[in-house]
């Protein structure tokens, strides 16, 4: 495992030095690094903690990690984090539904649209608790909406060879 830590740390330091990860940009997510580098999550977490300790990257809780600008260490990236951008997309979609703000019972059509928006929000990384807090609906209602209208299964292709 020590060899893996050294390999990943050397590679990430090299990428930081050569500008692959530019200053004041968002550092890749842990899961993306795991998939790309073939290392375990434990190794990636260990290496990113070392990079934070070395002052090469910074972290912002629930937002992500970013490459620190040596001239202005407190400066965050100018663009929103990928996580924040995903959250804004699902919030925008839910905000567009008039039924979300209504405390009344939903019609079948509203329930179907709400269910679709909830499933999309969950797919984009939102949690049931996030959606419930944002919409003012109960967690139970959000869970029921996510399960109420399952996604249609793809139709079998009649031209496919068997």
């Amino acid at each position: 495992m020590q060899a893996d830590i050294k390999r990943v740390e050397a590679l990430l330091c090299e990428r930081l030095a050569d500008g692959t990860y530019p200053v004041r940009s968002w550092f890749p997510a842990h899961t993306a690094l795991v998939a790309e580098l073939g290392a375990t999550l434990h190794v990636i977490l260990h290496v990113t903690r070392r990079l934070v300790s070395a002052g090469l990257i910074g972290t912002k809780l629930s937002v992500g990690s970013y490459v620190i600008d040596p001239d202005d260490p407190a400066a965050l990236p100018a663009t929103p984090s990928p996580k924040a951008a995903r959250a804004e997309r699902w919030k925008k979609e839910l905000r567009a539904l008039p039924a979300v703000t209504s405390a009344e019972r939903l019609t079948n059509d509203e329930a179907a649209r709400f269910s679709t928006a909830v499933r999309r929000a969950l797919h984009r990384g939102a949690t049931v608790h996030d959606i419930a807090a944002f919409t003012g609906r109960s967690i139970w209602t959000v869970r029921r909406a996510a399960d109420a209208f399952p996604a249609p299964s793809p139709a079998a292709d009649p031209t496919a060879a068997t």
Side-chain angles (χ1 to χ4, degrees):
M1 184 166 83
Q2 286 297 328
D4 210 20
I5 290 173
K6 288 181 182 179
R7 175 186 67 86
V8 170
E9 186 172 19
L11 180 62
L12 293 178
C13 285
E14 179 183 316
R15 289 179 179 182
L16 288 165
D18 71 12
T20 303
Y21 304 136
V23 169
R24 293 186 66 182
S25 69
W26 293 103
F27 196 69
H30 295 127
T31 52
L33 290 172
V34 166
E36 179 186 352
L37 304 177
T40 64
L41 181 60
H42 177 74
V43 168
I44 299 298
L45 290 171
H46 186 81
V47 170
T48 53
R49 276 194 301 268
R50 289 170 89 165
L51 294 174
V52 169
S53 296
L56 298 173
I57 65 171
T59 59
K60 190 157 173 61
L61 187 64
S62 296
V63 176
S65 300
Y66 56 94
V67 182
I68 290 180
D69 183 353
D71 298 331
D72 188 6
L76 291 172
T79 60
S81 74
K83 186 184 285 187
R86 282 193 305 272
E88 281 308 308
R89 282 195 300 268
W90 68 257
K91 285 179 181 178
K92 181 181 177 185
E93 187 169 323
L94 284 171
R95 205 176 287 124
L97 296 173
V100 169
T101 57
S102 170
E104 299 173 18
R105 196 168 177 83
L106 301 179
T107 66
N108 285 342
D109 184 48
E110 290 172 333
R113 289 194 339 245
F114 181 67
S115 177
T116 300
V118 166
R119 282 198 324 275
R120 286 182 182 154
L122 291 170
H123 179 72
R124 290 183 175 139
T127 66
V128 171
H129 295 276
D130 292 337
I131 298 167
F134 181 74
T135 61
R137 301 260 179 205
S138 70
I139 292 170
W140 182 82
T141 301
V142 172
R143 283 190 178 144
R144 190 179 62 185
D147 297 335
F149 297 90
S153 59
D157 184 4
T159 61
T162 55

